[in-house]
Amino acid sequence: MKTFCGRANPTTGALDWVEESEEYDYHQEIARSCYADMLHDRDRNEKYYQGIRAAVSRVKARGERVIVLDIGTGTGLLSMMAVSAGADFCYAVEVFKPMARAATCIIKKNGFSDKIKVINKHSTEVTVGPDGDMQERANILVTELFDTELIGEGALPSYEHAHLHLVQVGCEAVPHRATVYAQLVESEQLWSWAQIRSVQVDERALVPPAAVRECAGAHAVCDIQLSQVPPSAFTPISPLCSMFSVDFSRPVSSAPRSFSCRFVVQAGGRAQVVLSWWDLDMDPSGSIVCSMAPRWTYSDPREYPWRDHWMQSVYFLPAERRVCEGEELSLSVSHDDYSLWYNLSEGHQTDVEQSFCRPCCTCQAHLVWTRPRFGELNDWQRTESYLSALRSVLGKDGVCLVVSDGSLLPIFAHLLGARKVCFCVSVKLSLLLIITIFKLLYCSHNNCGVEGPSFSQRLQISVLMGEPYFSTSLLPWHSLFFWYCRTALARLLRPGATILPSSATLYLLGVEFQDLWRIRAPCGTCEGFDVSPMDEMVQQSLDFRESREAEPHHLWEYPCRALSKAHPVMTFDFQQCVPEQPINSQGTLPLIGRGRCHGFALWMEYNLTDDITISMGLTKPVNEEGECVWSPHRKQGVYFLQTPWESSGDGHTAVSYNLTFDPSIGDVKMDFSVTQP
């Protein structure tokens, strides 16, 4: 059965009514899951298997039957490990119905149906007793309920309920214990994701208003591949602190709590950012450890187990603080059911009330801008490019219209001499932010001349400009919403009006990923178990739609090597209105690097003027080794090939591409094929 669904189109700005299969959401969930990444995580799998074997041995040594409860079984992998290790019976709980079906199929395929029962419920709904889902309480509890923040998927309430209702007193748990670690650092790069810095416009320094400077920001975790932030990008203020541990073999409480760790400041500076990760002890002795620590903590980086389903966390203090070497301080962490937040206090006392106080944005900026957006606005090289472009196009009698979300361009245009500046935004909160903060506080010394969108109807526009940035954009071509706005505003433009940027070019690059390919690669077997039904289910959902589309990724977090030259495939001329007919681009792309082509990276470059270009993808030319340096501010598009293509590096292997931009839906459809010599 099919139904009509209303979907906001990020490129055209329209509400599209599309006919979707009733299975659309199901396939989306499966296609975008991280199950393949988890199955490819050998370190995780091996450590779980070792921990399960040890727990089964301990229970058997006590002369007990081994009854296992596996909460969040997924593919059923951990349940099969338990039975293979000698468990008498296993209850595998999985709330997501498609995964429960997959687990049942995988368990049957591996011959464990008689010893594993799949329960398609949330663990808090499972019953125990003669007529219940479980005949008896378990004496081994196996779970994989964790996210990058450890507790963000509701691990604490699930454990709390399991100990009260589903497992025996004194049960063995795998993992046995989790420990959260944190290190306080100073980092200009990371702090630029949290607060707006001053901006120099000619002789004037724009200092962020007090409402923004003094705002504690949002407490939500910033989860990233911290391994890609080099140690040179931060200065440790504290040693690595063990903040708290959770013993999963004992009753667990989900009540809010705070913990603190005293330390002596290692290096004076500004305490700004907390880097955090956690370890899992799979056994009580702590001899089997699965660590989430970043690569640069390893003495041999080659031993680092890459994973994307669990990364590292970055937290921002409510305010930066000057500290001196040798000073004694206390770092505190608080948590509720699902999240963590950090505070800093004097070493001799911990302000419990302050620790429990969750940071909250009061300036609106942290509600409007993402962390990469803060970093983008703080990029002085990028800002200077826009200022240079504005200086070249603005006249004293200029009337400017800015089309971008939460942009500083209206302020820049006014300070550079524009007579009148208007702006349009797609998100109301962005409008309120600009009006209430930037107009009133940056420009309160005089008549700033910046007006909201309703004023644009009164004037003929001499300069239409945008970054372009829109909060709804994910893929590179979603920012073509600027083009659709330019088309809608055509009647308000003066003859010969300047459009900035004047055009955009979509670039294509064949790449070999160091690790990201794992999130799409089939697994086949995992620790000796056949999980191919999971591969087939994921591929079926990908084929439903996802395998024919690009997906957004911050490629600065995922190293890759270029196997081709960066190739411009499509140009969008903002001097003209959006055409009615599709824009098509066909050609070939020689693979000149030796390796496995996992797919293609796509990004936009915006031509502000004839000699000023802003790249949302590569920020440096690719060197002879194929090293790629990506912009950290915007997500690039990644098109994954179902099967990697081998390149000999002599240029004889070439990719044929066919890309089509359909103006009616604002999307780019793409198709690739390979030609061999």
Side-chain angles (χ1 to χ4, degrees), residues 351-568:
D351 190 333
V352 177
E353 183 176 346
Q354 181 190 41
S355 298
F356 272 113
C357 182
R358 185 201 309 266
C360 179
C361 175
T362 56
C363 73
Q364 300 180 354
H366 300 89
L367 305 179
V368 173
W369 295 328
T370 63
R371 276 146 183 154
R373 178 60 173 165
F374 271 97
E376 187 171 46
L377 292 172
N378 286 327
D379 185 336
W380 66 268
Q381 290 181 319
R382 172 188 169 279
T383 296
E384 187 54 43
S385 294
Y386 277 100
L387 290 173
S388 297
L390 288 174
R391 291 187 187 100
S392 69
V393 301
L394 289 176
K396 294 297 182 182
D397 61 343
V399 177
C400 300
L401 174 61
V402 178
V403 180
S404 278
D405 282 346
S407 175
L408 302 183
L409 289 184
I411 307 301
F412 295 163
H414 166 67
L415 294 177
L416 292 176
R419 178 172 62 87
K420 197 75 173 177
V421 181
C422 308
F423 53 88
C424 286
V425 298
S426 61
V427 178
K428 185 176 181 180
L429 203 56
S430 295
L431 172 65
L432 296 176
L433 175 65
I434 297 172
I435 292 177
T436 61
I437 296 181
F438 292 106
K439 176 185 173 181
L440 297 178
L441 297 180
Y442 274 144
C443 306
S444 58
H445 67 290
N446 61 12
N447 178 21
C448 77
V450 177
E451 304 287 3
S454 61
F455 291 86
S456 65
Q457 302 293 329
R458 305 176 184 173
L459 303 169
Q460 288 290 295
I461 305 303
S462 56
V463 179
L464 175 66
M465 56 186 175
E467 299 192 35
Y469 170 80
F470 303 99
S471 58
T472 54
S473 298
L474 291 175
L475 289 164
W477 42 90
H478 289 168
S479 290
L480 291 177
F481 181 54
F482 175 79
W483 200 12
Y484 287 83
C485 292
R486 176 259 182 269
T487 302
L489 296 166
R491 62 185 180 84
L492 299 178
L493 302 178
R494 291 179 183 176
T498 298
I499 311 295
L500 189 158
S502 59
S503 65
T505 301
L506 180 65
Y507 277 79
L508 179 69
L509 181 72
V511 296
E512 177 185 50
F513 285 109
Q514 180 175 304
D515 295 296
L516 188 62
W517 59 270
R518 302 174 195 270
I519 69 172
R520 282 290 191 93
C523 188
T525 60
C526 182
E527 296 301 310
F529 302 101
D530 185 346
V531 294
S532 58
M534 182 65 200
D535 294 335
E536 294 165 5
M537 186 175 73
V538 171
Q539 191 57 55
Q540 181 184 10
S541 291
L542 288 170
D543 290 342
F544 184 78
R545 180 172 299 176
E546 297 284 319
S547 64
R548 302 188 299 274
E549 298 179 344
E551 58 185 63
H553 288 281
H554 281 297
L555 288 185
W556 73 268
E557 295 185 64
Y558 304 103
C560 61
R561 192 166 57 88
L563 300 183
S564 74
K565 292 183 178 179
H567 185 62

Side-chain angles (χ1 to χ4, degrees), residues 241-269:
C241 301
S242 175
M243 298 305 301
F244 69 94
S245 294
V246 182
D247 187 339
F248 299 125
S249 294
R250 297 179 179 179
V252 173
S253 172
S254 62
R257 293 193 64 185
S258 285
F259 307 88
S260 64
C261 179
R262 294 185 182 182
F263 66 91
V264 176
V265 174
Q266 293 182 338

Side-chain angles (χ1 to χ4, degrees), residues 33 59 74 133 160 162 194 238 380 384 393 405 466 473 504 549 598 669:
S33 68
V59 174
D133 301 305
E160 184 175 43
S238 76
W380 66 268
E384 187 54 43
V393 301
D405 282 346
S473 298
E549 298 179 344
H598 294 116
K669 298 299 182 183

Side-chain angles (χ1 to χ4, degrees), residues 15 53 58 76 112 130 144 183 272 390 401 526 556 624:
L15 179 64
R53 288 194 191 101
R58 289 194 298 272
F112 295 110
E144 204 278 60
Q183 185 169 37
Q272 300 168 321
L390 288 174
L401 174 61
C526 182
W556 73 268
E624 293 183 359

Side-chain angles (χ1 to χ4, degrees), residues 174-373:
V174 181
H176 174 79
R177 181 189 305 109
T179 303
V180 173
Y181 298 93
Q183 185 169 37
L184 183 64
V185 303
E186 175 183 354
S187 173
E188 283 295 314
Q189 175 183 335
L190 297 177
W191 188 246
S192 72
W193 299 351
Q195 296 290 350
I196 289 293
R197 296 171 177 160
S198 300
V199 180
Q200 191 72 30
V201 181
D202 292 340
E203 302 302 319
R204 172 107 186 267
L206 291 180
V207 179
V212 176
R213 294 197 310 271
E214 298 169 5
C215 179
H219 81 282
V221 64
C222 176
D223 52 340
I224 62 171
Q225 290 284 356
L226 196 56
S227 296
Q228 300 309 312
V229 178
S232 59
F234 59 86
T235 301
I237 299 293
S238 76
L240 184 63
C241 301
S242 175
M243 298 305 301
F244 69 94
S245 294
V246 182
D247 187 339
F248 299 125
S249 294
R250 297 179 179 179
V252 173
S253 172
S254 62
R257 293 193 64 185
S258 285
F259 307 88
S260 64
C261 179
R262 294 185 182 182
F263 66 91
V264 176
V265 174
Q266 293 182 338
R270 291 173 295 168
Q272 300 168 321
V273 179
V274 176
L275 311 182
S276 181
W277 56 86
W278 44 267
D279 288 352
L280 295 176
D281 290 332
M282 294 298 180
D283 65 327
S285 68
S287 59
I288 307 170
V289 180
C290 184
S291 175
M292 304 305 118
R295 184 190 300 269
W296 34 259
T297 65
Y298 283 71
S299 56
D300 184 355
R302 293 173 298 181
E303 296 179 357
Y304 171 71
W306 184 88
R307 49 177 68 96
D308 202 46
H309 54 102
W310 295 329
M311 295 185 283
Q312 296 80 37
S313 301
V314 173
Y315 299 90
F316 304 98
L317 293 182
E320 66 177 355
R321 172 175 174 170
R322 287 278 182 183
V323 297
C324 300
E325 184 177 353
E327 184 179 357
E328 186 177 350
L329 298 174
S330 181
L331 181 66
S332 62
V333 60
S334 303
H335 73 75
D336 54 18
D337 287 9
Y338 294 94
S339 58
L340 308 175
W341 59 94
Y342 284 84
N343 272 293
L344 189 64
S345 60
E346 299 294 338
H348 60 277
Q349 62 180 5
T350 299
D351 190 333
V352 177
E353 183 176 346
Q354 181 190 41
S355 298
F356 272 113
C357 182
R358 185 201 309 266
C360 179
C361 175
T362 56
C363 73
Q364 300 180 354
H366 300 89
L367 305 179
V368 173
W369 295 328
T370 63
R371 276 146 183 154
R373 178 60 173 165

Side-chain angles (χ1 to χ4, degrees), residues 550-598:
E551 58 185 63
H553 288 281
H554 281 297
L555 288 185
W556 73 268
E557 295 185 64
Y558 304 103
C560 61
R561 192 166 57 88
L563 300 183
S564 74
K565 292 183 178 179
H567 185 62
V569 291
M570 196 175 289
T571 296
F572 308 95
D573 185 2
F574 298 156
Q575 304 292 341
Q576 307 297 322
C577 292
V578 176
E580 295 182 358
Q581 301 301 316
I583 301 174
N584 183 257
S585 177
Q586 298 179 353
T588 58
L589 185 67
L591 298 180
I592 58 176
R594 185 182 182 88
R596 306 187 77 198
C597 182
H598 294 116

